Amino acid sequence: MPPRRDPASFMWSEAVELLDRAERLHRQFFRPAPPGPRRACWIPPIDVYETEDAVTIVVALPGVGADQLHVAVEDGVLVVAGERTLPLGCDGIIHRLEIPHGRFERRIELPAGAFRMGRRELSAGCLVLTLDKMG
């Protein structure tokens, strides 16, 4: 018979493991800007869906306006780049900063085939791109 685990110890170890996982995810998406001009300092998370007719990509970009975005397809890779600025600029005291800001870039390798840009919509903090399949 296996030894009984203390429920409080079990819950504590689970909580610590979840905090570690959250911290790793935070570090993955929010990195200090590397040296050099105009380098990306964070990578927005994405969802990619494919249907028979199209590939739809949802990019989480809270606080990013359409005028702050650049979207292009380069050699079978969709590139979404831009910048999220601080809402207050440099004025004010920052008490907590969890949403990444600064330059971002996400490169998404597309499935084989030819695509043309279909729908492009910025809604509820997400950029929704639909690439229609050609042929």
Side-chain angles (χ1 to χ4, degrees):
M1 195 167 172
R4 288 191 58 173
R5 287 179 111 176
D6 176 32
S9 295
F10 174 74
M11 288 174 59
W12 179 252
S13 67
E14 286 293 309
V16 169
E17 184 178 323
L18 286 172
L19 287 170
D20 284 343
R21 202 169 349 161
E23 183 64 27
R24 281 193 307 274
L25 281 171
H26 187 257
R27 280 194 308 268
Q28 176 184 353
F29 292 114
F30 184 43
R31 301 180 193 126
R38 310 292 295 164
R39 292 242 173 103
C41 59
W42 65 283
I43 302 168
I46 61 168
D47 291 334
V48 179
Y49 307 94
E50 184 173 4
T51 65
E52 191 173 310
D53 302 324
V55 172
T56 300
I57 297 145
V58 180
V59 186
L61 296 170
V64 176
D67 60 330
Q68 298 167 297
L69 285 171
H70 169 73
V71 177
V73 177
E74 303 170 357
D75 299 323
V77 175
L78 176 70
V79 179
V80 178
E83 187 164 0
R84 179 181 183 274
T85 56
L86 287 173
L88 299 175
C90 291
D91 298 337
I93 298 170
I94 297 171
H95 290 278
R96 191 174 197 108
L97 190 64
E98 293 183 4
I99 301 172
H101 68 280
R103 290 223 13 96
F104 62 85
E105 181 176 290
R106 184 68 191 246
R107 302 177 82 74
I108 304 140
E109 193 166 326
L110 298 172
F115 300 91
R116 83 177 132 74
M117 187 64 71
R119 185 178 81 154
R120 177 181 169 163
E121 178 184 354
L122 190 58
S123 174
C126 290
L127 173 64
V128 180
L129 300 169
T130 301
L131 303 173
D132 297 322
K133 293 180 180 178
M134 297 172 50

